[in-house]
């Protein structure tokens, strides 16, 4: 999440919980199984396409705000105040 908050797209394997923050093709790439060739293809694509890297990175930065300590603290406080 740190890389995403810095505006970098994320590439991860499906085995890592990602559903809440990483959307395949929008804020980065999710690789099925342990497909090393798919991982390298995604990384090469990001290295060779600065515009795509910037676009996914910007989306990643926006998505990462959902996991910031300030955002989570506000959600907890709202929950407590509703009780």
């Amino acid at each position: 999440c740190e890389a995403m908050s810095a505006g970098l797209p994320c590439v991860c394997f499906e085995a890592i919980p990602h559903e809440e923050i990483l959307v395949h093709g929008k804020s980065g790439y999710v690789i099925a199984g342990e497909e090393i060739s798919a991982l390298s293809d995604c990384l090469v694509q990001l290295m060779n396409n600065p515009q795509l890297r910037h676009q996914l990175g910007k989306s990643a930065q926006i998505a990462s705000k959902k996991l910031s300590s300030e955002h989570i603290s506000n959600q907890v406080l709202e929950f407590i105040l509703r009780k």
Side-chain angles (χ1 to χ4, degrees):
C1 188
E2 289 83 5
M4 293 175 73
S5 67
L8 298 172
C10 192
V11 179
C12 73
F13 289 106
E14 261 183 340
I16 299 170
H18 65 275
E19 294 84 8
E20 288 189 29
I21 189 165
L22 181 61
V23 177
H24 182 78
K26 183 172 179 177
S27 53
Y29 293 115
V30 180
I31 310 301
E34 295 180 7
E35 294 292 323
I36 301 300
S37 62
L39 172 67
S40 64
D41 291 345
C42 288
L43 294 174
V44 168
Q45 184 180 18
L46 289 171
M47 288 188 300
N48 291 333
N49 190 335
Q51 182 178 357
L52 176 65
R53 190 172 58 241
H54 177 74
Q55 176 186 345
L56 294 179
K58 187 124 178 108
S59 293
Q61 191 171 42
I62 292 167
S64 73
K65 292 181 183 197
K66 290 190 284 183
L67 294 181
S68 73
S69 58
E70 181 179 354
H71 180 75
I72 291 172
S73 296
N74 286 337
Q75 286 183 318
V76 170
L77 183 59
E78 287 175 20
F79 176 77
I80 292 169
L81 293 175
R82 282 189 278 186
K83 293 288 177 173

